[in-house]
Each structure stands twice: as structure tokens, then as C-alpha cells.
């Protein structure tokens, strides 16, 4: 049975066309992932499907209860993003909806809570459409991908990895079609030029023909010229009707050279000795030692609230126990984006701290999504995602040779995340970063720093190898029990918010005592 059927939908924002969708259907048990660039209309489409907003044009037929889980805002400062998400997801599941529309349900969640949302969606028997920039999450829960692009609305069968393969095949077909178009265009242009040249020569008197004879054969030459001109016109008409196929835009790989990279490679660039983690009176981790070497790409992992940002800031500000090699120049990305000047353009901001050639800077900007005249936009008019991209490029092409990046993938669409992945993979300097995007971390990291159970430890090897060693909390019995308790607590809180009862209050107190005992 169709839960939703939409026809000839047109989505607009401030008179700007976001998307035009001829036909879409959501059936029972459909598991759909919705992807597209920032500002492409994903959130607008969810609100239109839920009946919370109206499309500019089109008709929508709905059957059954539809629950919208909007992008969550941290209104309750006493609770973590994971706790808030758990409550909202549980309420959505208890609502009896036939269709769940979830907008970035994993945003800002640590790995454990993302896996909890994954498990809930996998087990849920009803249909859902989920917007997410987390490719591993989309792989785990989806069997269909919808994509909104500048050129249209596309449906792909399979999870995100299957979508990537199909899209690559489509890009390859477009390349072949574009080459065929160019060949046909060249042949027609050459044929037109040849006919026009012959037409010009057709009325010229041959040297062997006298003036009196030329007057007699003039009508013949005029007729011949007209025939050639008609043939040329026919070819021009064919050229005009030839469907233009643009070759997909491709940028060459770019290798960003960091200062002193060769002399720093393999040497200790950051040394931490007996570094403690504290937030006020709370102990985050016990005193620990670790080293980061030149050329390493190290991911810092740990649950929300474990102290990842605290550690990064200790390094940036060279707190007690932290020493940095003299030749090191640190570039720090934080969510506050303090390195940008709003009154200046993208290109002005990026060039400000860079000694790189402008052609390389423009190439890097294009790789992350700023094409042509885009680079002359002022930062003050940019969206949150565009500001993040500008700040990241500014650091990548700066004179820094050690980049410290705190959640650089937040607010980026999937295309921008993949572009950043590629740029960091090609970057020759040193990188220390945190990210909730598991695939991003797996593809970039060559080493791991982990904060777990109040301890800070270093691991030499990739994140995948680290997981294989069963060091991560998901393979830790205590952490598994804690996650189960958190899930039960969230469910009880959700039920209490819907129907207060003494029995539930007592159950909540019991679960909280168990959690307190387990975390001691």
C-alpha cells in the first residue's frame, strides 16, 4: 500500500527553485535515505511530505499517521544530544506512525548513540525517510536512496554504497555521451564550413570561361550556390537540434605542500607527558603520555563529554605537559569559526594566510564546491556549511604544517565531506582531528587516540585495525551494559512524558541508581 504519493511537486524558497519532482511514492516498509547538497531542499521536502509545509505546485496523497522528527536543537542544556535524540526517537516509535520522516537524527551524536539509532531503525517495522550526512549510517539502515540535485530528482535502489556505484556508472555513461556529442558537433561544423566555402566559390567565373560565356552559365552557378547554401542551412539546423551534453566537471588531484614537511616527517611534533583531563572538578581522564609524529593523521575518539575538545585546546594553547617542536605551525579549526572575517570575500579570507599559488587556491576551493564567481561572495552572506568549507580551505592552504580539526564534518553535505576526505588524504602535513563521521575517520586516520573509561591511550594503526583489536566500547562489557541502561532510561523518560505514573517514577530511580553504580 502507498503511504504517500506525490505528483508534479515543485519546491521553492524565496522564489528560488529548490527541486522539481515529477513523481514519488513511499510504500509500507520502505527504508529511504534522502541525500543532496546543503540547501538543495531535503528538509523542505520532508516538511512537505509530512503536511507541515506546502509545495509551490503539485498534489500529495497521504494514508496513515506520519511522524516528522525535525533537526534537533539543544534547547535542554541539562541533557546531551544523545539523550535528547533518544527521547525524540522513542516518542516517534511509540506514536504508532506508519511513516517516520527523520531529519539528521544522528547529528552531533557519538558512535554509541549513532549505533543505538541505527538499531532502532533496523528493528522498526514501518516505513521511513531519513536525511543524513553519515554514509555508514545510510549503508546500515537504507535500501533505497533518493537524491536531489540541480538537474533533477533521482531514485537509486540499494544502500549508500550501491548508490555510489550506480552514480559512478552514470557519470561514466555521461562522459561517453559527451564525447560522442563533441565528435558529432565537430563533424557537423566541419561539413557546414566546407559547404559554405563551396557556395562562395560557386559564383566565381572560371579562368577558362570568357565574359560572354560566363553570362550564359551564370544562372547555373547561382542555382549551384543556392543548393550548397541550402545544404549548409540544413546542417546548421541539425547542429542546433543536437542535444547538448556537458562533460562532467573533473578537477585534477591537488597536493598541498606544508612548510618543513620533509624535515618534520617521522619526528615527534607534539609530545604529551603526564597530561591530565579535567573539566572544573570533574576528572575526564587520568594523567597520560602520547606522541604525534610528523606526517601522521591521527583521529581522536571518545563518547560525547569525554574531553576530546578539552584535549585539542590543551594542545593548541600548549598547556602544562604539552610541548610542540619549534618548526611546527599549528592551524586550529573549531566550530566557532573565529579565523574568518565576515566583511571579506571567500577568496580574500583564504589568501590572507596563504603563501600558495592562486591557481592552487582556486582549485582547492572548486574541489570543495566554490566554483567561478562563488569565491567573490562575502563570508557574511554564507550559510553555516559554506562558512565551514571556507575555514577549512583557509587552513589547508595556510602556512600551518600541523592541522588540528575539531569536528570538521559537522554542517557539511556528503559531497563536501568526500571532497575534504580527498584533500586531507593528499595533504602532506600532520593532522589531528575528531569526527562523528565514521567513514571519514576510517578513510583518513593512520593512528588513533582514544578516551575511554577515564583513560587516554594511543594506538598505532588505522581505526579499522583499532576496532579489530576490540578496544572500542562496543566490545567492552561494561560499556555495553551502560548503553543498555541509557536506552532503558530514555524509554522510561519518554513514557513518563506521555503518561506520568508512580510505577514509572520508581523504575526510573532504580535505573539511575544502577547507572550510578556502574559508572563509579
Amino acid at each position: 500500500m502507498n503511504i504517500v504519493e506525490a505528483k508534479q511537486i515543485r519546491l521553492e524558497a524565496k522564489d528560488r527553485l529548490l527541486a522539481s519532482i515529477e513523481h514519488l511514492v513511499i510504500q509500507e516498509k520502505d527504508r529511504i535515505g534522502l541525500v543532496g547538497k546543503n540547501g538543495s531542499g531535503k528538509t523542505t521536502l520532508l516538511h512537505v511530505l509530512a503536511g507541515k509545509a506546502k509545495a509551490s505546485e503539485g498534489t500529495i496523497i497521504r494514508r496513515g499517521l506520519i511522524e516528522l522528527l525535525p533537526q534537533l536543537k539543544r534547547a535542554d542544556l541539562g541533557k546531551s544530544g544523545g539523550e535528547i535524540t533518544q527521547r525524540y526517537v522513542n516518542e516517534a516509535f511509540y506514536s504508532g506512525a506508519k511513516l517516520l520522516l527523520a531529519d539528521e537524527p544522528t547529528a552531533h551524536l557519538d558512535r554509541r548513540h549513532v549505533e543505538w539509532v541505527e538499531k532502532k531503525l533496523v528493528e522498526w517495522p514501518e516505513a521511513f525517510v531519513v536525511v543524513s550526512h553519515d554514509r555508514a549510517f545510510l549503508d546500515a539502515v537504507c535500501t533505497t536512496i533518493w537524491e536531489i540535485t540541480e538537474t533533477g530528482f533521482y531514485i537509486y535502489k540499494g544502500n549508500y554504497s550501491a548508490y555510489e556505484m550506480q552514480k559512478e556508472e552514470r557519470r561514466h555513461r555521461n562522459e561517453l555521451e559527451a564525447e560522442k556529442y563533441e565528435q558529432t558537433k565537430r563533424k557537423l561544423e566541419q561539413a557546414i564550413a566546407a559547404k559554405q566555402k563551396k557556395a562562395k566559390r560557386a559564383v566565381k567565373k572560371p579562368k577558362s570561361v570568357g565574359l560572354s560565356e560566363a553570362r550564359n552559365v551564370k544562372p547555373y552557378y547561382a542555382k549551384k550556390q543556392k543548393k550548397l547554401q541550402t545544404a549548409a542551412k540544413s546542417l546548421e539546423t541539425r547542429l542546433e537540434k543536437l542535444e547538448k551534453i556537458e562533460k562532467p566537471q573533473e578537477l585534477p588531484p591537488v597536493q598541498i605542500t606544508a612548510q618543513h614537511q620533509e624535515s618534520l616527517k617521522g619526528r615527534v611534533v607534539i609530545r604529551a607527558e603526564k597530561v591530565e583531563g579535567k573539566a572544573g572538578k570533574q576528572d575526564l581522564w587520568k594523567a597520560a603520555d602520547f606522541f604525534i609524529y610528523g606526517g601522521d593523521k591521527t583521529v581522536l575518539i571518545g563518547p560525547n563529554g569525554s574531553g576530546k575538545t578539552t584535549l585539542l585546546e590543551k594542545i593548541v594553547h600548549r598547556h602544562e605537559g604539552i610541548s610542540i617542536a619549534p618548526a611546527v605551525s599549528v592551524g586550529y579549526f573549531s566550530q566557532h569559526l573565529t579565523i574568518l572575517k565576515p566583511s571579506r570575500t571567500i577568496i580574500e579570507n583564504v589568501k590572507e594566510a596563504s603563501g600558495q599559488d592562486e591557481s592552487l587556491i582556486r582549485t582547492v576551493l572548486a574541489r570543495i564546491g566554490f566554483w567561478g564567481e562563488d569565491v567573490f561572495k562575502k563570508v557574511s552572506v554564507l550559510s553555516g556549511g559554506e562558512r565551514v568549507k571556507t575555514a577549512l580551505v583557509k587552513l589547508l592552504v595556510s602556512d600551518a604544517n600541523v592541522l588540528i580539526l575539531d569536528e570538521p564534518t559537522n554542517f557539511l553535505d556528503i559531497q563536501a565531506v568526500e571532497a575534504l576526505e580527498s584533500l586531507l588524504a593528499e595533504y602532506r602535513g600532520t593532522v589531528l582531528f575528531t569526527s562523528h563521521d565514521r567513514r571519514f575517520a576510517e578513510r583518513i586516520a593512520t593512528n588513533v587516540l582514544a578516551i575511554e573509561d577515564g583513560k587516554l591511550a594511543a594506538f598505532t594503526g588505522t581505526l579499522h585495525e583499532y576496532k579489530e583489536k576490540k578496544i572500542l566500547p562496543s566490545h567492552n562489557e561494561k560499556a555495553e551494559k551502560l548503553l543498555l541502561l541509557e536506552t532503558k532510561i530514555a524509554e522510561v523518560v519518554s513514557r513518563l512524558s506521555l503518561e506520568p505514573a508512580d510505577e514509572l517514577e520508581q523504575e526510573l530511580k532504580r535505573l539511575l541508581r544502577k547507572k550510578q553504580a556502574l559508572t563509579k
Side-chain angles (χ1 to χ4, degrees), residues 311-330:
L311 178 57
L312 295 185
E313 289 182 346
K314 279 179 178 288
I315 294 170
V316 170
H317 300 298
R318 308 190 187 201
H319 281 208
E320 186 179 353
I322 303 288
S323 57
I324 295 177
V328 164
S329 173
V330 173

